[in-house]
C-alpha cells in the first residue's frame, strides 16, 4: 500500500503534466459564465496568460516547423483578453508529429498529448457514425433495463469471450495485410529513388561527355518520371503535373503519336522516350561502337530504365488490387454483430458502467478496422495541391482544415478528399512530396555535374 501511494505521488508531482492537464481541462471544459463573453469567446485570466504554453507543450521556438513537424508557437496576440476556445484547443492539443527527415520517431512520453488529441483524431471522425450507433444502442439497452415491468434481455458473456479471439485474429490479419501493402509500396518508391539517382549520375558522368544533346533530353525525361509515377499511384484522381505535360508535348511531336499514347500511363511513355534517348545517344557518339566501357554503361542504363518500368507495374498492382472484398465484408459483419450485442452481455454485471465500457471498446476495435481500410491504399499520404488552392500549410498541424474552400473539396474525388483532411505520413506514403523531392534531387545532380565539369 505504501509503495502504491509513493508511486501515485511521483506521478502526480510531474510538473509539466499537471500544468498541461489543468490547462486542457480549463480550456476544453464548459467555461463558467464569469469567463465567457457574449460572443462565445473565452476570457483568459492573468494566471493563464503567464504560462509558457510553448514550453508546456514541448513546442520548439523556431520557424523550421516543416522539417520538425512541430506545432507552431502560439502568437502573443492570441493570448489577448478574448480567445476562441476551439481555436486554442485545435492549435495546441495535437499529437506530436515525428521528425521524419531527422530520423526522430515517437516517444513514450507523448502519451498525454496522444490521449488529449483524441477529439481531433481522423480515425475517430471516420468511425463516428458506427460508434454513435453503438452508443445509442447501448443507451437504449440501459434505459430498458432500468424501466420496471419490462422484460430484461441478457445473454451470457461466454459467447463474446469465445468469439472475441476469432475477431481479434481477423482484425490482426486485416491490419497486417494492409501494412504489408504499405511497406511494399515504400520499398518500390525507395527502389525508384535509387534508380533515378543511378541514372542521373551515369548520364552526367558517362553519357554527357560524348552525347550532350541526348543526355540533356534524357535528364528532362528523368526529372518528369517521379511525378508521372505519382499520377499512376493515385489512379488518375489528381491532375497530371504540368512539367510532365510539357515534356510529353515536347517529345511526342506528332498528333498521331500523342493520340496513340493517350491510353498509356505517362510513366510508360516517358520510359519509352528514355530508351529512345539512349538509342540516339549511341548514334550521336562516334565511339559507341568501339568503346566497350561506353557500351557497358549504355546497357546498365537500359536495365535501370527497365527497373523504372518494374516500379510502375508494382505500384499499379498495389493501387488497383484491393484486399478481397468478401474478407473485408465478413470482418465488418462480425465486428458489427459482436459490438452490437455486447451491451446485452454486460448490462447485468456493469449496469450504468456498460455505456463507457462499450464506447471505449468500440472506439478501439472499430478504429483498428478503419486503420486497415485506410492504409490498404498506401499512396494517399499527403495533400494534392493543384485542385485546392487555399490549403493550410503543413506547419499548422492540420488546424487549418476547416478554413479550406469546402466547395472545392467537395468537387474532389473521395480519394483526394481523404488526403485533404490528413497530413504527411498519417495514413500512407506522401507520394506527391516524395516525387517532388526526387525531381529536385535529379535536378541538383545535374547542376552539380555541370558545375564540377566547368571548374576543370
Amino acid at each position: 500500500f505504501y509503495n502504491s501511494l509513493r508511486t501515485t505521488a511521483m506521478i502526480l508531482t510531474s510538473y509539466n503534466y499537471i500544468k498541461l492537464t489543468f490547462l486542457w481541462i480549463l480550456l476544453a471544459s464548459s467555461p463558467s459564465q464569469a469567463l465567457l463573453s457574449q460572443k462565445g469567446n473565452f476570457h483568459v485570466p492573468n494566471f493563464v496568460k503567464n504560462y509558457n504554453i510553448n514550453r508546456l507543450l514541448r513546442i520548439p521556438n523556431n520557424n523550421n516547423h516543416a522539417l520538425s513537424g512541430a506545432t507552431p508557437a502560439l502568437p502573443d496576440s492570441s493570448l489577448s483578453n478574448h480567445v476562441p476556445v476551439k481555436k486554442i484547443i485545435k492549435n495546441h492539443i495535437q499529437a506530436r508529429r515525428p521528425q521524419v527527415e531527422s530520423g526522430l520517431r515517437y516517444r513514450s512520453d507523448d502519451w498525454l498529448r496522444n490521449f488529449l488529441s483524441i477529439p481531433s483524431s481522423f480515425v475517430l471522425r471516420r468511425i463516428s457514425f458506427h460508434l454513435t450507433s453503438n452508443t445509442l444502442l447501448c443507451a437504449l439497452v440501459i434505459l430498458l433495463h432500468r424501466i420496471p415491468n419490462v422484460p430484461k434481455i441478457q445473454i451470457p458473456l461466454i459467447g463474446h469471450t469465445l468469439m472475441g479471439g476469432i475477431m481479434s485474429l481477423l482484425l490482426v490479419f486485416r491490419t497486417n495485410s494492409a501494412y504489408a501493402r504499405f511497406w511494399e509500396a515504400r520499398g518500390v518508391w525507395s527502389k525508384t529513388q535509387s534508380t533515378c539517382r543511378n541514372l542521373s549520375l551515369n548520364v552526367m558522368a558517362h553519357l554527357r561527355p560524348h552525347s550532350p544533346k541526348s543526355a540533356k533530353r534524357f535528364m528532362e525525361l528523368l526529372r518528369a518520371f517521379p511525378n508521372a509515377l505519382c499520377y499512376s499511384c493515385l489512379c488518375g484522381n489528381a491532375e497530371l503535373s504540368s512539367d510532365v505535360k510539357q515534356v510529353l508535348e515536347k517529345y511526342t511531336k506528332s498528333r498521331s503519336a500523342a493520340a496513340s499514347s493517350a491510353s498509356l500511363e505517362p510513366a510508360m511513355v516517358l520510359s519509352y522516350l528514355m530508351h529512345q534517348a539512349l538509342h540516339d545517344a549511341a548514334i550521336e557518339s562516334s565511339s559507341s561502337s568501339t568503346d566497350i566501357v561506353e557500351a557497358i554503361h549504355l546497357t546498365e542504363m537500359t536495365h535501370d530504365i527497365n527497373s523504372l518500368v518494374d516500379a510502375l507495374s508494382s505500384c499499379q498492382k498495389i493501387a488497383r488490387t484491393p484486399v478481397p472484398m468478401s474478407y473485408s465484408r465478413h470482418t465488418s459483419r462480425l465486428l458489427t454483430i459482436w459490438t452490437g450485442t455486447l451491451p446485452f452481455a454486460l448490462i447485468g454485471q456493469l449496469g450504468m458502467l456498460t455505456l463507457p465500457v462499450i464506447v471505449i471498446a468500440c472506439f478501439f476495435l472499430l478504429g483498428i478496422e478503419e486503420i486497415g481500410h485506410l492504409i490498404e491504399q498506401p499512396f494517399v499520404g499527403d495533400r494534392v495541391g493543384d485542385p485546392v488552392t487555399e490549403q493550410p500549410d503543413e506547419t499548422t498541424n492540420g488546424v487549418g482544415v476547416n478554413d479550406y474552400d469546402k466547395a472545392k473539396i467537395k468537387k474532389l474525388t473521395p480519394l483526394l478528399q481523404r488526403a485533404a483532411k490528413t497530413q504527411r505520413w498519417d495514413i500512407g506514403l506522401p507520394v506527391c512530396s516524395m516525387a517532388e523531392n526526387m525531381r529536385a534531387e535529379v535536378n541538383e545532380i545535374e547542376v552539380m555535374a555541370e558545375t564540377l565539369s566547368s571548374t576543370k
Side-chain angles (χ1 to χ4, degrees):
F1 178 74
Y2 172 74
N3 290 334
S4 300
L5 287 178
R6 186 175 61 178
T7 304
T8 305
M10 292 175 61
I11 295 175
L12 291 178
T13 53
S14 179
Y15 186 57
N16 284 336
Y17 290 151
I18 290 177
K19 291 197 301 180
L20 177 58
T21 306
F22 170 74
L23 182 62
W24 180 80
I25 294 174
L26 183 65
L27 297 180
S29 62
S30 298
S32 62
Q33 294 296 327
L35 299 177
L36 192 64
S37 67
Q38 295 180 354
K39 295 183 179 180
N41 293 330
F42 189 73
H43 179 77
V44 182
N46 292 329
F47 64 90
V48 176
K49 293 181 185 180
N50 295 331
Y51 282 154
N52 188 342
I53 297 181
N54 293 343
R55 182 181 178 183
L56 179 69
L57 298 179
R58 299 176 182 270
I59 300 173
N61 189 15
N62 56 55
N63 295 324
N64 192 17
H65 303 298
L67 293 179
S68 64
T71 309
L74 184 69
D76 295 336
S77 59
S78 62
L79 281 181
S80 59
N81 288 332
H82 295 89
V83 181
V85 180
K86 187 176 180 181
K87 186 174 182 180
I88 291 181
I89 296 174
K90 291 188 68 176
N91 274 280
H92 294 280
I93 309 299
Q94 294 284 336
R96 187 183 66 85
R97 305 192 60 78
Q99 300 176 8
V100 178
E101 287 79 4
S102 63
L104 181 63
R105 295 300 182 263
Y106 311 97
R107 300 198 303 257
S108 58
D109 59 352
D110 290 337
W111 65 270
L112 185 57
R113 291 187 63 178
N114 291 335
F115 177 75
L116 297 180
S117 62
I118 288 178
S120 61
S121 171
F122 177 68
V123 175
L124 177 61
R125 295 197 299 268
R126 296 273 298 184
I127 65 173
S128 59
F129 177 70
H130 198 172
L131 181 61
T132 304
S133 301
N134 285 343
T135 303
L136 294 177
L137 176 61
C138 181
L140 179 61
V141 171
I142 295 175
L143 178 62
L144 294 177
H145 189 78
R146 294 178 66 88
I147 297 177
N149 301 325
V150 174
K152 307 299 188 296
I153 302 177
Q154 298 183 24
I155 59 177
L157 188 58
I158 185 65
H160 285 78
T161 303
L162 296 176
M163 294 299 295
I166 300 175
M167 185 184 63
S168 300
L169 291 176
L170 287 174
L171 289 177
V172 168
F173 181 79
R174 181 71 180 85
T175 54
N176 283 348
S177 60
Y179 183 76
R181 294 162 62 92
F182 171 85
W183 190 246
E184 182 183 0
R186 184 65 184 96
V188 171
W189 272 85
S190 178
K191 179 65 176 178
T192 302
Q193 184 178 28
S194 177
T195 304
C196 289
R197 288 172 177 172
N198 291 332
L199 279 172
S200 56
L201 291 173
N202 285 331
V203 167
M204 298 306 296
H206 304 293
L207 192 66
R208 181 172 172 270
H210 52 75
S211 304
K213 295 182 180 179
S214 299
K216 182 178 180 181
R217 179 172 52 149
F218 189 95
M219 293 300 291
E220 290 182 15
L221 297 169
L222 184 61
R223 280 197 299 269
F225 184 85
N227 285 327
L229 182 61
C230 174
Y231 174 81
S232 299
C233 290
L234 295 176
C235 303
N237 286 273
E239 293 185 3
L240 186 61
S241 178
S242 58
D243 65 292
V244 180
K245 292 180 180 179
Q246 293 175 0
V247 171
L248 292 177
E249 292 174 358
K250 181 178 180 180
Y251 293 107
T252 54
K253 299 178 181 179
S254 63
R255 293 185 179 180
S256 59
S260 61
S261 62
S263 59
L264 294 175
E265 293 285 347
M268 182 65 69
V269 179
L270 291 174
S271 300
Y272 168 76
L273 294 176
M274 282 189 280
H275 276 297
Q276 194 177 53
L278 286 183
H279 179 266
D280 294 342
I283 298 175
E284 182 182 355
S285 174
S286 58
S287 58
S288 60
S289 58
T290 57
D291 192 342
I292 298 178
V293 176
E294 182 179 340
I296 292 175
H297 288 149
L298 291 174
T299 304
E300 290 180 351
M301 285 185 277
T302 301
H303 291 163
D304 287 338
I305 297 174
N306 293 335
S307 297
L308 294 180
V309 177
D310 293 339
L312 172 63
S313 301
S314 299
C315 290
Q316 288 178 327
K317 178 195 72 173
I318 297 171
R320 301 178 183 179
T321 306
V323 173
M325 295 183 180
S326 58
Y327 177 82
S328 298
R329 292 180 185 134
H330 191 71
T331 304
S332 177
R333 290 163 184 161
L334 176 60
L335 187 59
T336 300
I337 295 174
W338 193 90
T339 56
T341 56
L342 186 59
F344 298 98
L346 298 179
I347 186 63
Q349 300 179 10
L350 300 181
M352 293 293 294
L353 293 178
T354 304
L355 184 60
V357 171
I358 291 297
V359 172
I360 294 174
C362 291
F363 169 68
F364 288 111
L365 292 176
L366 298 176
I368 292 173
E369 182 196 27
E370 185 60 28
I371 290 173
H373 291 158
L374 290 174
I375 64 177
E376 181 184 334
Q377 217 301 11
F379 299 118
V380 185
D382 55 355
R383 304 177 186 128
V384 181
D386 290 340
V388 180
T389 56
E390 297 179 358
Q391 292 184 356
D393 186 40
E394 188 185 25
T395 61
T396 61
N397 206 12
V399 173
V401 170
N402 291 331
D403 299 330
Y404 278 12
D405 188 346
K406 295 183 179 180
K408 292 183 179 180
I409 289 185
K410 291 181 180 179
K411 295 180 181 179
L412 299 177
T413 62
L415 198 65
L416 296 187
Q417 287 182 11
R418 181 196 306 179
K421 299 176 183 178
T422 57
Q423 296 185 58
R424 296 176 58 190
W425 300 103
D426 275 353
I427 57 174
L429 299 174
V431 290
C432 298
S433 302
M434 294 168 66
E436 287 297 329
N437 291 337
M438 291 167 61
R439 170 183 168 81
E441 188 176 33
V442 171
N443 186 65
E444 289 174 1
I445 291 175
E446 182 179 8
V447 173
M448 177 200 67
E450 293 177 351
T451 304
L452 294 178
S453 62
S454 63
T455 56
K456 291 184 179 180

